[in-house]
Amino acid sequence: RWDPPRSSSRYVRLLFGVFFSVTTRRILPTVSVLGAWSAAVDLYNSVLEGAYGLPELELPLTPFELTAPILALLLVFRSDRAFDRFSLGSEYSWEITNLFKSVIREILTFTAASRFAPEERAAAYDLAKACVHLHGWIMRDHLRGKKISPAKQEIILRLAFGSAATETTNGSGLLMTKEVSHCMSAPMTPTAGISAISLGMSRRLPSMDFQESTLLESQFSDVASSLGKCEMMLRTPIPLGYTRYSVRFLWIWLSLLPFALVNKFAEFGTGTWWEDKPQPVLVFAMLFIGFIFSSIEDIAVQIEEPFSVLPLELHQKWLVQDAEQIEAMNRFVDERMQDGKVGRITGEKQIIDEQIEQEQIKDEKQMSDEEKIKEEEQSVNGRKHGQRRRSLRRKLGI
């Protein structure tokens, strides 16, 4: 994905892309109207004014020179704020994806322990698949303003609660997914989907200890928090007053600019081969200026709502790849456990651990021996030093 933007051919490739890019197609109607308006202003001042004695329609250029920096600042601040939203949207969506990866990995890893029954292990695979489906709906539909379809809702609830779940009177069982769906007066929200998976986990995995369930619940809480930030961005755009003022100022400024430039280009071809030919210089100049300013404003509008621009489908694709590999690895371990091969691997690991422990004991013994030798050397040196001091005192008669 990074090779094309860094390629040395990007200058030529992107230059031709100006005529066919998505941004160009979006602003083409606006720029076309501006070009037609500029052509009408040029035609009035160059032909109709002299032919029919109409009044001259011109404006001084100074007001545009003074307000151009203000317009530029408006567009820069608008684009900068929109890019901040784009960056935060990308960060929050990646947080959701990474948290779902952690939940899937932890559910399958925790339930691989021998204390979990085969039914619980099968339920763990269902819960992991429910997380994959819930993540796919959030990325592909929810963050783009679409509601969940009944089919997707039924799949998520069935995987979360189990296809064989039935309602019991003692409160220890689960409701059928259709009954849960009927209890919802509106289509399921992501928070309800997370709650369904959490409820299914607590009911279908009774052997999970307190620390494991607490860790998973913490992960689900982080998912809900990141999702809430995404929904805040989705439902809270940049203040409409700022957006409307920017568009109005830009459109008025571009609409009046031809009246200030018409005199500048009136004698553009004087003394050249172009003198007696049509000179649509004003039109081309306005098309160029309008294209630049409109492109900046349009890009800011598009990235303000980042989830329609971000490749959220790739998030789901990468999550599915990781989930499939994690599931395949866990099923491989389950098969080896059934064949008794994992026990041999565990025994070999215990032998290796014992060898490592023996090596550590040898190292500690060697270190203790070295410390004893150092202590003996210090005591010998101390005795020698005492003997020298006593002999010196005898010589001095002390």
Side-chain angles (χ1 to χ4, degrees), residues 104-116:
I104 293 170
R105 177 183 58 80
E106 290 167 1
I107 288 176
L108 296 181
T109 302
F110 293 160
T111 56
S114 58
R115 69 176 185 274
F116 287 89

Side-chain angles (χ1 to χ4, degrees), residues 371-386:
E371 290 177 357
K372 289 179 180 180
I373 292 172
K374 289 181 180 180
E375 290 178 358
E376 291 178 359
E377 290 178 352
Q378 290 176 358
S379 61
V380 171
N381 293 332
R383 289 195 296 270
K384 289 181 179 179
H385 182 67

Side-chain angles (χ1 to χ4, degrees), residues 60 68 90 103 116 125 203 207 210 214 282 387:
S90 178
V103 168
F116 287 89
Y125 286 114
R203 293 284 186 158
S207 300
F210 176 75
T214 301
L282 177 63
Q387 291 175 0

Side-chain angles (χ1 to χ4, degrees), residues 24 80 124 129 132 139 192 198-199 211 257 262 285 293 326 358 364 374:
T24 302
D80 185 64
K129 291 179 182 178
V132 173
M139 291 295 160
S198 179
L199 179 61
Q211 292 180 346
L257 184 59
V262 66
F293 282 98
I326 295 172
Q358 292 177 1
E364 292 176 356
K374 289 181 180 180

Side-chain angles (χ1 to χ4, degrees), residues 14 16 39 75 83 96 108 120-121 149 152 204 221 237 244 271 303 319 323-325 341:
L14 297 178
F16 285 104
L75 295 178
F83 180 77
I96 294 174
L108 296 181
E120 295 180 85
R121 185 62 169 165
S149 64
K152 290 182 180 179
R204 300 178 67 187
S221 297
R244 292 169 181 169
I303 65 176
L319 178 71
E324 289 177 350
Q325 292 181 6
K341 296 180 180 179

